[in-house]
Amino acid sequence: MPINTKIISANEYERHHAFDLLYNNSSDIQLKALATDTHGVNNVNFAILDLFGYQFAPRYAKFKYVFHDLFEIEHGETVSLKLRRLFNTSLIKREWENIQRIICSLSRKTTTRSTIITKLSNGKQNSRTLAALREYDRIIKCLYILDYVNDKVLRQFVQQALNRGEAYHQLRRAIASINGNQFRGGNDYQIDQWNDCARIIANCIIYYNSALLSNLIEKFEQEGNQEVVNLIAGLSPVAWRHIQLAGNDTFGIQKDNIVLDKLLENLEPWGEESMVEQVT
């Protein structure tokens, strides 16, 4: 489910706002990892997120280039792997107090976090504190790259997380295309209004789907059909094929509310493909 959103201008790098999205989370969901594509990577995100207890898990478009930039493979009697450049841990130790000051500034929200991240990512290379932070970032990045190569579950997690995000974007595009994409407005205020309204509509659809899937799980758990329960648990609530997005809507108080049990009482598990078709 979308727990936090932030609108940025087209000329800003989204990678500088990754920490903002995590740290501004006000929902009950406790996040542990952030999966992004290559656009979410900069020179400090591995370090910053690790220091705050998060795992940064990007999927690189050209992974082999990233891997060979960090490691080199030696072929002999046995194949060995070593760093292309050793870690400068002494620099990190000398600058650790200054690194802690940066982390405190981020945690106290004394300024916009994306502003600090942008300056850290784009700052001059001759700053010792920045160099130490980037060296720490390289350590965490190398550990992640090795885990990514070795752990199939991690690779699947990253891909699935990105698929969920892309599905949400597709839902937003489907909502935006209603009425020939003419609801956006002509000025900044109207565009902000449209984005807020579109997010509400998307969240309502996701909530409705989640309620349907939850009721289905309860229904088949009571019937002892664990196979169908496992199938439903793997379905995404980001779907809109069964939602009529176009047309005229009437908003008002109705005496007869939608009863989910009535919608689901005729649903039968006729095999996996049929089940997915009925649910979606």
Side-chain angles (χ1 to χ4, degrees):
M1 63 180 68
I3 59 171
N4 190 14
T5 56
K6 181 180 181 180
I7 300 174
I8 61 176
S9 62
N11 63 331
E12 291 186 87
Y13 288 108
E14 60 185 71
R15 65 195 67 175
H16 301 325
H17 298 268
F19 177 74
D20 275 5
L21 294 176
L22 282 174
Y23 204 64
N24 289 336
N25 170 34
S26 58
S27 71
D28 295 331
I29 300 175
Q30 299 300 314
L31 303 176
K32 297 181 180 180
L34 172 66
T36 73
D37 55 16
T38 307
H39 295 289
V41 180
N42 60 18
N43 294 320
V44 295
N45 270 349
F46 275 104
I48 296 298
L49 268 63
D50 180 76
L51 290 168
F52 278 89
Y54 300 112
Q55 180 186 15
F56 185 47
R59 184 201 63 188
Y60 291 96
K62 298 180 179 179
F63 181 82
K64 65 177 181 179
Y65 296 113
V66 177
F67 182 87
H68 289 296
D69 184 57
L70 298 172
F71 304 99
E72 60 181 18
I73 302 174
E74 293 183 344
H75 298 277
E77 294 182 359
T78 59
V79 179
S80 61
L81 185 70
K82 70 176 186 178
L83 291 167
R84 289 192 177 275
R85 181 164 55 91
L86 295 178
F87 299 126
N88 189 352
T89 55
S90 59
L91 176 62
I92 298 175
K93 292 177 181 178
R94 289 197 303 268
E95 295 297 323
W96 187 246
E97 182 176 350
N98 291 329
I99 291 176
Q100 288 179 312
R101 293 177 184 273
I102 294 173
I103 300 305
C104 287
S105 297
L106 287 170
S107 63
R108 295 183 64 185
K109 302 183 180 182
T110 54
T111 185
T112 305
R113 271 80 59 206
S114 58
T115 301
I116 298 179
I117 300 297
T118 301
K119 290 184 178 295
L120 292 174
S121 184
N122 298 334
K124 295 181 179 179
Q125 294 285 351
N126 58 6
S127 169
R128 288 188 302 175
T129 302
L130 180 56
L133 184 62
R134 291 182 175 179
E135 194 69 9
Y136 183 88
D137 184 271
R138 189 164 64 93
I139 294 175
I140 306 302
K141 181 179 180 179
C142 286
L143 292 173
Y144 169 75
I145 292 297
L146 294 176
D147 286 338
Y148 191 88
V149 171
N150 188 57
D151 191 346
K152 179 181 177 181
V153 176
L154 175 60
R155 295 195 299 270
Q156 290 175 339
F157 155 74
V158 173
Q159 185 60 55
Q160 289 172 357
L162 293 178
N163 289 344
R164 294 189 190 102
E166 183 57 34
Y168 177 68
H169 293 319
Q170 290 176 358
L171 172 58
R172 286 291 310 276
R173 284 194 290 270
I175 296 172
S177 63
I178 298 174
N179 198 37
N181 205 17
Q182 296 179 10
F183 283 133
R184 287 185 179 275
N187 55 50
D188 291 343
Y189 175 72
Q190 291 176 346
I191 292 174
D192 285 341
Q193 274 190 319
W194 159 241
N195 278 295
D196 289 338
C197 292
R199 280 196 296 273
I200 291 176
I201 295 172
N203 289 346
C204 288
I205 293 174
I206 294 172
Y207 179 86
Y208 174 69
N209 291 337
S210 300
L212 287 174
L213 295 174
S214 297
N215 278 35
L216 280 173
I217 288 179
E218 293 179 3
K219 169 184 171 65
F220 290 112
E221 279 181 342
Q222 293 174 358
E223 296 176 1
N225 195 335
Q226 189 60 39
E227 181 181 356
V228 176
V229 170
N230 294 337
L231 172 64
I232 298 172
L235 297 178
S236 170
V238 187
W240 62 95
R241 187 170 59 181
H242 58 302
I243 304 293
Q244 179 62 34
L245 295 175
N248 297 322
D249 297 318
T250 301
F251 297 91
I253 299 175
Q254 295 183 354
K255 296 181 179 179
D256 298 328
N257 294 323
I258 297 176
V259 181
L260 294 179
D261 293 337
K262 295 291 186 181
L263 295 175
L264 303 175
E265 62 183 6
N266 295 323
L267 190 63
E268 297 294 340
W270 297 329
E272 181 172 323
E273 292 185 1
S274 177
M275 185 68 195
V276 173
E277 181 70 21
Q278 291 179 82
V279 171
T280 57

mmCIF file of all heavy atoms in Angstrom, residues 235-259:
data_model
loop_
_atom_site.group_PDB
_atom_site.id
_atom_site.type_symbol
_atom_site.label_atom_id
_atom_site.label_comp_id
_atom_site.label_asym_id
_atom_site.label_seq_id
_atom_site.Cartn_x
_atom_site.Cartn_y
_atom_site.Cartn_z
ATOM 1 N N LEU A 235 -1.772 -12.625 -4.157
ATOM 2 C CA LEU A 235 -2.351 -11.677 -5.110
ATOM 3 C C LEU A 235 -2.116 -10.243 -4.660
ATOM 4 O O LEU A 235 -2.069 -9.949 -3.472
ATOM 5 C CB LEU A 235 -3.856 -11.937 -5.252
ATOM 6 C CG LEU A 235 -4.273 -13.295 -5.823
ATOM 7 C CD1 LEU A 235 -5.785 -13.408 -5.859
ATOM 8 C CD2 LEU A 235 -3.695 -13.502 -7.211
ATOM 9 N N SER A 236 -1.993 -9.352 -5.609
ATOM 10 C CA SER A 236 -1.783 -7.938 -5.300
ATOM 11 C C SER A 236 -3.127 -7.206 -5.247
ATOM 12 O O SER A 236 -3.995 -7.434 -6.092
ATOM 13 C CB SER A 236 -0.899 -7.296 -6.366
ATOM 14 O OG SER A 236 -0.875 -5.887 -6.197
ATOM 15 N N PRO A 237 -3.315 -6.325 -4.274
ATOM 16 C CA PRO A 237 -4.546 -5.525 -4.214
ATOM 17 C C PRO A 237 -4.566 -4.369 -5.203
ATOM 18 O O PRO A 237 -5.556 -3.645 -5.291
ATOM 19 C CB PRO A 237 -4.558 -5.015 -2.768
ATOM 20 C CG PRO A 237 -3.122 -4.932 -2.407
ATOM 21 C CD PRO A 237 -2.438 -6.067 -3.111
ATOM 22 N N VAL A 238 -3.469 -4.181 -5.945
ATOM 23 C CA VAL A 238 -3.422 -3.107 -6.937
ATOM 24 C C VAL A 238 -3.947 -3.656 -8.260
ATOM 25 O O VAL A 238 -3.192 -4.121 -9.114
ATOM 26 C CB VAL A 238 -1.999 -2.558 -7.098
ATOM 27 C CG1 VAL A 238 -2.008 -1.331 -8.016
ATOM 28 C CG2 VAL A 238 -1.415 -2.191 -5.750
ATOM 29 N N ALA A 239 -5.266 -3.648 -8.408
ATOM 30 C CA ALA A 239 -5.930 -4.127 -9.630
ATOM 31 C C ALA A 239 -7.164 -3.279 -9.861
ATOM 32 O O ALA A 239 -7.793 -2.809 -8.912
ATOM 33 C CB ALA A 239 -6.302 -5.603 -9.491
ATOM 34 N N TRP A 240 -7.498 -3.066 -11.115
ATOM 35 C CA TRP A 240 -8.647 -2.196 -11.412
ATOM 36 C C TRP A 240 -9.457 -2.674 -12.605
ATOM 37 O O TRP A 240 -10.339 -1.970 -13.087
ATOM 38 C CB TRP A 240 -8.170 -0.762 -11.657
ATOM 39 C CG TRP A 240 -7.254 -0.600 -12.830
ATOM 40 C CD1 TRP A 240 -7.593 -0.241 -14.101
ATOM 41 C CD2 TRP A 240 -5.837 -0.798 -12.854
ATOM 42 N NE1 TRP A 240 -6.479 -0.199 -14.909
ATOM 43 C CE2 TRP A 240 -5.382 -0.539 -14.171
ATOM 44 C CE3 TRP A 240 -4.906 -1.171 -11.887
ATOM 45 C CZ2 TRP A 240 -4.047 -0.647 -14.522
ATOM 46 C CZ3 TRP A 240 -3.571 -1.279 -12.258
ATOM 47 C CH2 TRP A 240 -3.162 -1.013 -13.550
ATOM 48 N N ARG A 241 -9.190 -3.872 -13.091
ATOM 49 C CA ARG A 241 -9.941 -4.382 -14.233
ATOM 50 C C ARG A 241 -11.422 -4.522 -13.898
ATOM 51 O O ARG A 241 -12.283 -4.398 -14.771
ATOM 52 C CB ARG A 241 -9.360 -5.725 -14.674
ATOM 53 C CG ARG A 241 -9.981 -6.253 -15.964
ATOM 54 C CD ARG A 241 -9.219 -7.453 -16.477
ATOM 55 N NE ARG A 241 -9.196 -8.547 -15.523
ATOM 56 C CZ ARG A 241 -8.574 -9.704 -15.731
ATOM 57 N NH1 ARG A 241 -7.895 -9.887 -16.847
ATOM 58 N NH2 ARG A 241 -8.608 -10.654 -14.827
ATOM 59 N N HIS A 242 -11.734 -4.765 -12.627
ATOM 60 C CA HIS A 242 -13.118 -4.940 -12.205
ATOM 61 C C HIS A 242 -13.735 -3.628 -11.724
ATOM 62 O O HIS A 242 -14.861 -3.606 -11.241
ATOM 63 C CB HIS A 242 -13.172 -5.964 -11.060
ATOM 64 C CG HIS A 242 -12.329 -5.572 -9.879
ATOM 65 N ND1 HIS A 242 -10.980 -5.347 -9.982
ATOM 66 C CD2 HIS A 242 -12.654 -5.349 -8.584
ATOM 67 C CE1 HIS A 242 -10.500 -5.009 -8.799
ATOM 68 N NE2 HIS A 242 -11.500 -4.999 -7.938
ATOM 69 N N ILE A 243 -13.006 -2.512 -11.856
ATOM 70 C CA ILE A 243 -13.481 -1.205 -11.410
ATOM 71 C C ILE A 243 -13.905 -0.385 -12.626
ATOM 72 O O ILE A 243 -13.153 -0.260 -13.596
ATOM 73 C CB ILE A 243 -12.391 -0.442 -10.634
ATOM 74 C CG1 ILE A 243 -11.896 -1.275 -9.443
ATOM 75 C CG2 ILE A 243 -12.909 0.902 -10.165
ATOM 76 C CD1 ILE A 243 -12.922 -1.492 -8.368
ATOM 77 N N GLN A 244 -15.124 0.161 -12.576
ATOM 78 C CA GLN A 244 -15.599 1.032 -13.648
ATOM 79 C C GLN A 244 -15.133 2.455 -13.345
ATOM 80 O O GLN A 244 -15.702 3.149 -12.516
ATOM 81 C CB GLN A 244 -17.129 0.974 -13.737
ATOM 82 C CG GLN A 244 -17.732 1.869 -14.802
ATOM 83 C CD GLN A 244 -17.279 1.500 -16.209
ATOM 84 O OE1 GLN A 244 -17.064 0.335 -16.503
ATOM 85 N NE2 GLN A 244 -17.145 2.485 -17.072
ATOM 86 N N LEU A 245 -14.049 2.879 -14.009
ATOM 87 C CA LEU A 245 -13.470 4.185 -13.720
ATOM 88 C C LEU A 245 -14.225 5.318 -14.403
ATOM 89 O O LEU A 245 -14.253 6.447 -13.901
ATOM 90 C CB LEU A 245 -11.999 4.207 -14.158
ATOM 91 C CG LEU A 245 -11.057 3.262 -13.398
ATOM 92 C CD1 LEU A 245 -9.660 3.301 -14.016
ATOM 93 C CD2 LEU A 245 -11.001 3.610 -11.929
ATOM 94 N N ALA A 246 -14.816 5.049 -15.559
ATOM 95 C CA ALA A 246 -15.528 6.097 -16.294
ATOM 96 C C ALA A 246 -17.011 6.062 -15.936
ATOM 97 O O ALA A 246 -17.510 5.103 -15.350
ATOM 98 C CB ALA A 246 -15.340 5.916 -17.796
ATOM 99 N N GLY A 247 -17.721 7.124 -16.293
ATOM 100 C CA GLY A 247 -19.148 7.189 -16.040
ATOM 101 C C GLY A 247 -19.501 8.298 -15.077
ATOM 102 O O GLY A 247 -18.666 9.121 -14.699
ATOM 103 N N ASN A 248 -20.743 8.335 -14.647
ATOM 104 C CA ASN A 248 -21.234 9.341 -13.711
ATOM 105 C C ASN A 248 -21.359 8.730 -12.320
ATOM 106 O O ASN A 248 -21.952 7.668 -12.138
ATOM 107 C CB ASN A 248 -22.600 9.881 -14.153
ATOM 108 C CG ASN A 248 -22.514 10.592 -15.495
ATOM 109 O OD1 ASN A 248 -21.546 11.284 -15.779
ATOM 110 N ND2 ASN A 248 -23.527 10.419 -16.324
ATOM 111 N N ASP A 249 -20.798 9.390 -11.340
ATOM 112 C CA ASP A 249 -20.840 8.924 -9.956
ATOM 113 C C ASP A 249 -21.718 9.854 -9.132
ATOM 114 O O ASP A 249 -21.716 11.084 -9.314
ATOM 115 C CB ASP A 249 -19.442 8.875 -9.345
ATOM 116 C CG ASP A 249 -18.538 7.893 -10.059
ATOM 117 O OD1 ASP A 249 -19.027 6.794 -10.375
ATOM 118 O OD2 ASP A 249 -17.357 8.217 -10.291
ATOM 119 N N THR A 250 -22.465 9.279 -8.217
ATOM 120 C CA THR A 250 -23.295 10.041 -7.295
ATOM 121 C C THR A 250 -22.753 9.870 -5.880
ATOM 122 O O THR A 250 -22.620 8.745 -5.395
ATOM 123 C CB THR A 250 -24.756 9.554 -7.339
ATOM 124 O OG1 THR A 250 -25.257 9.694 -8.668
ATOM 125 C CG2 THR A 250 -25.613 10.364 -6.381
ATOM 126 N N PHE A 251 -22.398 10.978 -5.260
ATOM 127 C CA PHE A 251 -21.864 10.931 -3.902
ATOM 128 C C PHE A 251 -22.949 11.407 -2.936
ATOM 129 O O PHE A 251 -23.437 12.528 -3.018
ATOM 130 C CB PHE A 251 -20.626 11.824 -3.778
ATOM 131 C CG PHE A 251 -19.489 11.388 -4.656
ATOM 132 C CD1 PHE A 251 -19.349 11.899 -5.936
ATOM 133 C CD2 PHE A 251 -18.568 10.445 -4.207
ATOM 134 C CE1 PHE A 251 -18.306 11.496 -6.752
ATOM 135 C CE2 PHE A 251 -17.525 10.039 -5.019
ATOM 136 C CZ PHE A 251 -17.391 10.564 -6.291
ATOM 137 N N GLY A 252 -23.301 10.546 -2.037
ATOM 138 C CA GLY A 252 -24.334 10.883 -1.075
ATOM 139 C C GLY A 252 -24.490 9.778 -0.053
ATOM 140 O O GLY A 252 -23.798 8.757 -0.096
ATOM 141 N N ILE A 253 -25.417 9.973 0.848
ATOM 142 C CA ILE A 253 -25.659 8.980 1.899
ATOM 143 C C ILE A 253 -26.669 7.962 1.392
ATOM 144 O O ILE A 253 -27.764 8.311 0.960
ATOM 145 C CB ILE A 253 -26.179 9.655 3.174
ATOM 146 C CG1 ILE A 253 -25.141 10.662 3.701
ATOM 147 C CG2 ILE A 253 -26.497 8.620 4.248
ATOM 148 C CD1 ILE A 253 -25.626 11.455 4.896
ATOM 149 N N GLN A 254 -26.291 6.687 1.442
ATOM 150 C CA GLN A 254 -27.181 5.617 1.025
ATOM 151 C C GLN A 254 -27.468 4.709 2.218
ATOM 152 O O GLN A 254 -26.597 4.446 3.041
ATOM 153 C CB GLN A 254 -26.547 4.795 -0.099
ATOM 154 C CG GLN A 254 -26.345 5.578 -1.385
ATOM 155 C CD GLN A 254 -25.779 4.692 -2.496
ATOM 156 O OE1 GLN A 254 -25.454 3.548 -2.252
ATOM 157 N NE2 GLN A 254 -25.684 5.245 -3.694
ATOM 158 N N LYS A 255 -28.700 4.239 2.282
ATOM 159 C CA LYS A 255 -29.071 3.363 3.380
ATOM 160 C C LYS A 255 -28.481 1.972 3.208
ATOM 161 O O LYS A 255 -28.112 1.312 4.183
ATOM 162 C CB LYS A 255 -30.598 3.284 3.483
ATOM 163 C CG LYS A 255 -31.266 4.612 3.842
ATOM 164 C CD LYS A 255 -32.768 4.449 3.961
ATOM 165 C CE LYS A 255 -33.437 5.762 4.330
ATOM 166 N NZ LYS A 255 -34.912 5.622 4.432
ATOM 167 N N ASP A 256 -28.416 1.502 1.973
ATOM 168 C CA ASP A 256 -27.909 0.155 1.713
ATOM 169 C C ASP A 256 -26.428 0.222 1.355
ATOM 170 O O ASP A 256 -26.062 0.594 0.244
ATOM 171 C CB ASP A 256 -28.689 -0.499 0.568
ATOM 172 C CG ASP A 256 -30.163 -0.651 0.910
ATOM 173 O OD1 ASP A 256 -30.461 -0.840 2.101
ATOM 174 O OD2 ASP A 256 -30.994 -0.553 -0.009
ATOM 175 N N ASN A 257 -25.589 -0.104 2.319
ATOM 176 C CA ASN A 257 -24.155 -0.118 2.074
ATOM 177 C C ASN A 257 -23.745 -1.426 1.400
ATOM 178 O O ASN A 257 -24.465 -2.415 1.447
ATOM 179 C CB ASN A 257 -23.383 0.037 3.393
ATOM 180 C CG ASN A 257 -23.602 1.401 4.025
ATOM 181 O OD1 ASN A 257 -23.699 2.402 3.324
ATOM 182 N ND2 ASN A 257 -23.698 1.438 5.338
ATOM 183 N N ILE A 258 -22.585 -1.405 0.800
ATOM 184 C CA ILE A 258 -22.068 -2.611 0.151
ATOM 185 C C ILE A 258 -21.709 -3.639 1.212
ATOM 186 O O ILE A 258 -21.005 -3.339 2.174
ATOM 187 C CB ILE A 258 -20.833 -2.270 -0.708
ATOM 188 C CG1 ILE A 258 -21.206 -1.315 -1.842
ATOM 189 C CG2 ILE A 258 -20.195 -3.534 -1.264
ATOM 190 C CD1 ILE A 258 -20.043 -0.855 -2.665
ATOM 191 N N VAL A 259 -22.199 -4.832 1.045
ATOM 192 C CA VAL A 259 -21.893 -5.929 1.964
ATOM 193 C C VAL A 259 -20.970 -6.892 1.229
ATOM 194 O O VAL A 259 -21.371 -7.558 0.266
ATOM 195 C CB VAL A 259 -23.173 -6.657 2.427
ATOM 196 C CG1 VAL A 259 -22.808 -7.783 3.392
ATOM 197 C CG2 VAL A 259 -24.138 -5.665 3.080
#
